[in-house]
Amino acid sequence: MSEDGDVVSENWRKAGWAGAAIGVIAAGAAAGVAVERITVGRGIRMKARLALDAAGDYGSLRGTEGACRAEDGTELYYETDELPPEPAGKKRRLRRSSPAAGTTVVFCHGYCLGQDSWHFQRAALRGVVRAVYWDQRSHGRSARGLAQADGEPVTIEQLGRDLKAVIDATAPEGPLVLVGHSMGGMTVMALAEQFPELVRDRVTGVALVGTSSGRLDQVTYGLPSVGQGAVRRILPGVLKALGSQVELVEKARGATADLFAGMIKMYSFGSRDVDPGVARFAERLIEATPIDVVAEFYPAFQAHDKTEALQRFADIPVTVIAGDRDMIIPAGHSVSIKEALPAADLVVLENTGHLMMLERPDIVTGLLTDLLARTGAVPAPTNVGAHGRSTAGSTAQPGG
């Protein structure tokens, strides 16, 4: 066997050890896939995916395109949804004479996602408030991180500086409301840690959705105790090994599409009645993230600790949203944020997983609209129109 072949073989041997541990995670998904394979042929399943892709408009909304440069030169892509000009003689929808006149809402997406993950909220808030949606480095339409190409690890602090670059380019003045899901919430915290004067002078509200201020190395991913330690020890090394064999891994992803889709659904949603089109949309978002990007970002979460930075938000309205069935960032992490910020509003959504903005769009959008009203960015009450609905419904329980 050639030297290259030996290297590939060794990497896949390491991956095999990880597979034994990660297989515990996949067991539930695999069981469902096995039943589906018995009853539905592969060709039919592929046609169903294509039909869902063609029928749904999820992720199709576009705004005014733009790009800026991060400190290392990485091109960051963003889109802005501007407010339409007010017709002459019409009553203004927003209170532009208020202290919060001209507010810009900046949406920060999570790990392995992109700005399109805010589809439902974007559809609802168009024409109501000025909003910026951006793709984090190496995600979506943004460029691969140049610092990472030079061998520098990704850090949450770097993502906070990326957000600052986007704000400087899209909203150099005026009030800001920051919305972050998962990694996006950590990005918002990193911005606050490094640019406290920006928060003090301009940020009027913050929404932290399914995110954490630290202790992510303690997340169990829903595993029984027998599998937790193995995954924690092996997963970082396995991701690194797989990230060095991008072409092989991407081919394997395609060959195991059914299992991959089952795992995504299991870890993204907490209810059984999610619209298949929405589930497929989530699958498309996640599968678009190359394995080497997945590997690059994962270690940053283990080092993430921004509990002290939360105090930068102590004097402004904060809404914290969690899913009670979130296995990626359990609701307890949102409870910890609430403990650090006693004045914050905490809402835990029942039967809801990690991608709550897709699973419970009505509720999440409503909570964001309430926050915007509290900041004065929109009048209260505000009718934001149809939010979209992906499930039969959910209840929200205030926490605290």
Side-chain angles (χ1 to χ4, degrees), residues 1 12 15 60 216 254 343:
M1 185 179 291
W12 279 107
S60 64
L216 287 168

Side-chain angles (χ1 to χ4, degrees), residues 162 233 328:
D162 289 353
R233 288 193 305 271
I328 303 297

Side-chain angles (χ1 to χ4, degrees), residues 212-377:
S212 172
S213 60
R215 296 183 297 106
L216 287 168
D217 58 338
Q218 300 177 21
V219 174
T220 66
Y221 303 108
L223 287 171
S225 58
V226 68
Q228 294 170 17
V231 170
R232 286 175 186 164
R233 288 193 305 271
I234 296 174
L235 189 55
V238 171
L239 287 175
K240 185 176 181 179
L242 297 182
S244 68
Q245 302 293 333
V246 177
E247 186 175 350
L248 284 173
V249 174
E250 296 305 331
K251 285 182 179 178
R253 263 182 166 182
T256 59
D258 295 332
L259 179 59
F260 186 62
M263 289 183 65
I264 288 176
K265 187 172 182 180
M266 182 174 71
Y267 277 93
S268 298
F269 306 109
S271 56
R272 296 182 177 179
D273 55 351
V274 176
D275 182 336
V278 172
R280 171 59 186 157
F281 175 48
E283 181 186 346
R284 289 197 343 249
L285 286 171
I286 295 171
E287 68 185 5
T289 308
I291 187 62
D292 47 339
V293 173
V294 177
E296 283 175 0
F297 275 71
Y298 182 80
F301 304 127
Q302 309 309 298
H304 168 63
D305 184 356
K306 294 290 179 286
T307 303
E308 292 185 7
L310 291 173
Q311 294 310 308
R312 307 295 185 189
F313 307 137
D315 298 325
I316 60 176
V318 175
T319 296
V320 183
I321 309 173
D324 69 343
R325 294 186 178 178
D326 189 340
M327 292 190 290
I328 303 297
I329 302 182
H333 288 253
S334 292
V335 173
S336 294
I337 294 174
K338 166 69 175 177
E339 291 172 349
L341 295 171
D345 287 345
L346 169 62
V347 178
V348 179
L349 306 182
E350 293 183 352
N351 301 317
T352 301
H354 191 57
L355 298 188
M356 55 204 75
M357 66 283 193
L358 295 177
E359 186 172 12
R360 309 296 181 196
D362 286 336
I363 298 175
V364 171
T365 304
L367 292 169
L368 294 180
T369 305
D370 290 344
L371 174 67
L372 293 175
R374 290 168 61 201
T375 68

Side-chain angles (χ1 to χ4, degrees), residues 188-214:
V188 169
M189 297 175 207
L191 174 82
E193 180 180 63
Q194 298 170 93
F195 304 98
E197 67 286 346
L198 174 67
V199 175
R200 181 191 65 229
D201 296 340
R202 297 185 55 198
V203 176
T204 61
V206 172
L208 300 172
V209 184
T211 190
S212 172
S213 60

Side-chain angles (χ1 to χ4, degrees), residues 25-41:
I25 300 176
V33 170
V35 173
E36 183 189 22
R37 281 186 180 277
I38 295 172
T39 57
V40 183

Side-chain angles (χ1 to χ4, degrees), residues 8 44 58 83 110 126 132 150 159 196 204 219 252 293 300 314 331 353 358 373 376 381 397:
V8 171
I44 294 176
Y58 308 123
L83 284 170
R126 280 192 150 185
V132 172
D150 291 336
L159 302 184
T204 61
V219 174
V293 173
L358 295 177
Q397 295 295 331

